[in-house]
């Protein structure tokens, strides 16, 4: 029995579509876990791209394999076969379909990019210095206005507004050859690892001290260039506690490959404990520095029968020497 070509094409089309959809929904092995709320949208975009790519792969490779066998040279055929001079409808189809797919993917990607950058720092990449902070202030104002006006009875809506008005945790990220430095302006903590609380919005203000680096955490699905002389931003919300790699994604010199650290997403209480421990460490460092400058000198002064307190100028010189790293 001979199956009509139209029906055969339809069946093959359905099978290819099903296979593409299956691959797009079952590619967990290709991606690390998603640990930020923005990751879901990126993963949806990735799934659409996988579906399209799988479909195209199957069509192209299938046509190739089919032709390999269906159009083999017959053993008794010594000719060059029928000359083929192109096929206008076919060429229109295989130009128009990819063009539409690329256009759609471009628009979709831009839409995802825009919705991820929800705090409104879009476009600040080029003028972060002048406008980044102003934009943020304007956004904060707008958010406050919404809550002021909002005697919204609807629970879901006021909750949505409430989550938006939670002040994002600010972290300044500094890329340098070959390390990342994280500074928390609220507390003055400086760390070589990025500690974050889960389920609180975060704004990273990223810059570089020497050459261009790029901040990348695959589990957050986020990557942003760190450019000298300019501040770039990433706005996101970590959702899963865990330890994730922070990787430099821009070839920045001989040891670029070693420019790695960790991002640790804590529960709220754990994060507070970390902040406290850092603050204690800072204070005790200062106390040690002070005691080092005073006690032994006072001890010696007493032994030599000198007055208990050295002249002020001496003390400040010594204190300075003890604070500067070259003193040790
Ligand atoms: Cu780097």
């Amino acid at each position: 029995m001979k199956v009509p070509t139209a029906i055969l094409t339809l069946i093959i089309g359905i099978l290819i579509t099903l296979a593409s959809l299956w691959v797009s929904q079952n590619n967990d092995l290709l991606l690390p876990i998603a640990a930020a709320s923005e990751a879901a949208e990126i993963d949806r975009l990735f799934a659409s791209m996988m579906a399209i790519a799988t479909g195209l792969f199957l069509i192209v490779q299938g046509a190739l394999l089919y032709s390999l066998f269906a159009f083999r040279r017959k053993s008794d055929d010594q000719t060059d076969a029928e000359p083929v001079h192109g096929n206008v409808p076919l060429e229109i189809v295989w130009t128009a379909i990819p063009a539409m797919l690329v256009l759609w993917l471009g628009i979709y990607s831009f839409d995802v990019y825009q919705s991820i950058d929800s705090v409104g720092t879009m476009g600040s990449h080029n003028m972060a210095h002048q406008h980044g902070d102003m934009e943020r202030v304007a956004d904060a104002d707008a958010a406050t206005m919404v809550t002021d006006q909002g005697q919204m009875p609807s629970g879901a809506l006021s909750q949505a507004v409430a989550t938006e008005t939670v002040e994002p945790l600010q972290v300044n990220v500094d890329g340098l050859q070959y390390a990342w430095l994280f500074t928390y302006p609220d507390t003055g903590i400086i760390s070589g690892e990025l500690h974050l609380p889960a389920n609180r919005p975060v704004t990273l203000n990223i810059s570089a001290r020497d050459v261009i680096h790029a901040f990348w955490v695959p589990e957050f699905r986020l990557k942003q260039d760190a450019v000298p002389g300019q501040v770039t931003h990433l706005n996101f919300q970590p959702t899963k506690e865990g330890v994730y790699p922070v990787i430099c994604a821009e070839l920045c010199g001989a040891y670029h490959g070693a420019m790695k650290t960790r991002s640790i997403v804590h529960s709220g209480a754990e994060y507070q404990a970390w902040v406290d421990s850092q603050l204690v460490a800072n204070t005790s460092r200062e106390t040690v520095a002070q005691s080092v400058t005073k006690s032994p000198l006072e001890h010696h002064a007493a032994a030599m029968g000198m007055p208990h307190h050295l002249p002020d100028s001496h003390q400040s010189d010594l204190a300075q020497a003890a604070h500067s790293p070259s003193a040790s």
Side-chain angles (χ1 to χ4, degrees):
M1 188 193 87
K2 180 118 173 58
V3 185
T5 317
I7 293 185
L8 203 62
T9 313
L10 185 69
I11 292 173
I12 291 173
I14 291 172
L15 288 180
I16 288 179
T17 308
L18 288 178
S20 306
L21 290 176
W22 185 85
V23 170
S24 76
Q25 298 306 314
N26 294 277
N27 50 45
D28 299 345
L29 288 178
L30 295 178
L31 293 172
I33 65 154
S37 52
E38 286 69 13
E41 280 200 70
I42 302 274
D43 289 357
R44 266 198 295 278
L45 175 63
F46 182 75
S48 330
M49 288 183 175
M50 274 307 277
I52 293 170
T54 308
L56 286 178
F57 177 82
L58 290 178
I59 291 170
V60 171
Q61 298 303 316
L64 200 64
L65 277 178
Y66 173 76
S67 309
L68 216 55
F69 292 100
F71 304 112
R72 280 174 82 85
R73 185 173 70 85
K74 310 275 185 314
S75 52
D76 57 346
D77 181 6
Q78 296 304 320
T79 69
D80 278 345
E82 289 277 310
V84 177
H85 286 287
N87 184 326
V88 175
L90 191 63
E91 283 182 24
I92 289 175
V93 166
W94 75 35
T95 307
I97 292 180
M100 283 188 311
L101 285 177
V102 168
L103 192 68
W104 177 75
L105 274 180
I107 293 170
Y108 183 16
S109 314
F110 192 75
D111 186 54
V112 169
Y113 181 58
Q114 226 169 359
S115 73
I116 283 173
D117 217 4
S118 54
V119 177
T121 41
M122 261 299 281
S124 68
H125 306 279
N126 296 323
M127 36 182 190
H129 270 317
Q130 300 96 318
H131 297 298
D133 294 329
M134 271 165 59
E135 276 176 30
R136 220 175 304 131
V137 170
D139 283 344
D141 283 351
T144 329
M145 263 164 57
V146 170
T147 30
D148 285 349
Q149 295 169 351
Q151 294 100 6
M152 283 178 235
S154 149
L157 199 58
S158 50
Q159 207 174 19
V161 172
T163 42
E164 267 180 37
T165 49
V166 171
E167 263 299 292
L169 173 69
Q170 302 283 329
V171 185
N172 298 339
V173 179
D174 225 350
L176 56 148
Q177 284 169 323
Y178 297 93
W180 294 104
L181 268 187
F182 304 98
T183 313
Y184 296 72
D186 301 348
T187 50
I189 292 172
I190 300 175
S191 171
E193 293 179 330
L194 178 60
H195 291 258
L196 298 172
N199 302 316
R200 182 181 164 185
V202 176
T203 296
L204 300 182
N205 308 304
I206 304 169
S207 58
R209 296 210 183 159
D210 34 43
V211 298
I212 299 176
H213 303 274
F215 175 91
W216 181 34
V217 178
E219 281 78 1
F220 297 159
R221 309 283 193 273
L222 292 173
K223 191 190 275 176
Q224 179 61 278
D225 276 0
V227 185
Q230 144 174 357
V231 182
T232 50
H233 303 277
L234 274 181
N235 304 299
F236 64 101
Q237 182 161 319
T239 49
K240 277 208 178 65
E241 290 166 39
V243 179
Y244 311 113
V246 175
I247 301 165
C248 178
E250 182 72 61
L251 182 58
C252 59
Y255 298 99
H256 159 70
M259 190 168 161
K260 284 181 183 150
T261 182
R262 306 188 303 165
S263 170
I264 299 125
V265 178
H266 301 278
S267 68
E270 236 178 59
Y271 174 74
Q272 197 49 50
W274 175 78
V275 169
D276 292 344
S277 74
Q278 292 297 302
L279 292 175
V280 167
N282 277 358
T283 338
S284 53
R285 256 202 304 276
E286 275 162 29
T287 321
V288 168
Q290 274 169 9
S291 64
V292 164
T293 51
K294 278 186 187 161
S295 314
L297 292 172
E298 280 176 9
H299 175 75
H300 286 299
M304 291 162 73
M306 284 165 72
H308 269 289
H309 293 287
L310 292 167
D312 276 353
S313 61
H314 257 234
Q315 277 210 349
S316 62
D317 280 357
L318 289 165
Q320 235 172 17
H323 274 294
S324 82
S326 56
S328 59

